[in-house]
Amino acid sequence: MIGRNDTCWCGSGNKWKKCHFPDIGAQKTVTPMPYGFEKLSDQYYKRYGIILKTQEQIQGMRESGKLAAQILDATCKMAAIGITTQQLNDFAYKLHLKAGAIPAPLHYGEPPFPKSICTSVNDVICHGIPNNRTLLDGDILNIDVTCILNGYYGDTSRMVLIGNVDEEKRHVVDVAYECLMRSITILRPGIPLSDIGQVIHSYAENEGCSVVTQFVGHGVGIQFHEPPQVYHYRNPSNIPLTPGMTFTIEPMINAGVKEAVIDDADQWTARTKDGKPSAQWEHTLLITETGHEILTPWNKEPL
Ligand code: MF3
Ligand code: CO
Ligand code: CO
């Protein structure tokens, strides 16, 4: 464990606290840590409340992640014109029970979330509550599944296109997908957490889209939402990624303004302020010794 007054690992000769000490605002440049450094500092992660997973916990998360991805794939295949989001919810609920799992959203939070999955249509950014509205030609829909299997959480979501979808919606769906996948490719020990937001923000901006800042990704595994928060926008949070970290990346990308408005009546549904469409894709990720592993491997193809 390096001390605040020790010489920084980066070779600058400066004290760690004045150089790459990973507090918000401490440094803005992106310098990967030398391989091996991250293994010295379990204490450091504990201070942030980050739970580095053991091999046994990782195996448990592989299983819950795989199940979440399977439930998501099956539920997405059912989404079509004339189907209600309530029907998708009921189908997903049954798949959880059949596998001996619990849907994490059900009764989660305050006020308790009333359903087993989130279904977010068109201008709904996230946390849409399944209901009796039927899916219509031209809708875009995010389905978000989080299951608890043997005590381990797997959290994943993806978009589905219903019938003929217009160009603006298709664009935001594609940009959000690219944001997720591009940010996953860079994951390995030593890079600062802030690189994720940097990659997502610059790609989305270039494509004329905005990044939602009111909701973030999160550590996951033993609990639904663990530290750290995973920002999808430019930020100075340079906690270095390290093997055993498990977290989600789940960029919410808007065609118009980034601002979200929470529904007054249900206190969950988050919609874009300007009514323009929004899209989101989410994976649960593990940082490995050499890179990363996607713990929720769904197939993009059935889309
Ligand atoms: N699955 C969502 C996430 O990605 C959280 C949903 S909370 C709920 O973090 F209560 F709305 F289900
Ligand atoms: Co999540
Ligand atoms: Co989710």
Side-chain angles (χ1 to χ4, degrees), residues 144-146 155-157 218 224 250 282:
D144 192 334
V145 171
T146 310
D155 185 6
T156 184
S157 82
H218 51 92
F224 200 162
E250 46 183 303
E282 172 178 27

Side-chain angles (χ1 to χ4, degrees), residues 216-239:
V216 296
H218 51 92
V220 67
I222 310 300
Q223 291 158 40
F224 200 162
H225 296 109
E226 300 172 1
Q229 296 200 348
V230 178
Y231 308 104
H232 303 119
Y233 46 95
R234 251 173 241 116
N235 71 88
S237 165
N238 54 358
I239 296 172

Side-chain angles (χ1 to χ4, degrees), residues 273-287:
K273 196 175 173 187
D274 59 7
K276 292 201 174 182
S278 181
Q280 177 181 32
W281 302 74
E282 172 178 27
H283 271 307
T284 296
L285 291 318
L286 163 71
I287 302 302

Side-chain angles (χ1 to χ4, degrees), residues 18-32 192-195 198 234-238:
K18 293 265 155 130
C19 194
H20 282 83
F21 187 75
D23 271 351
I24 302 257
Q27 65 103 25
K28 306 239 157 19
T29 54
V30 170
T31 313
L193 191 62
S194 57
D195 276 14
Q198 175 62 45
R234 251 173 241 116
N235 71 88
S237 165
N238 54 358

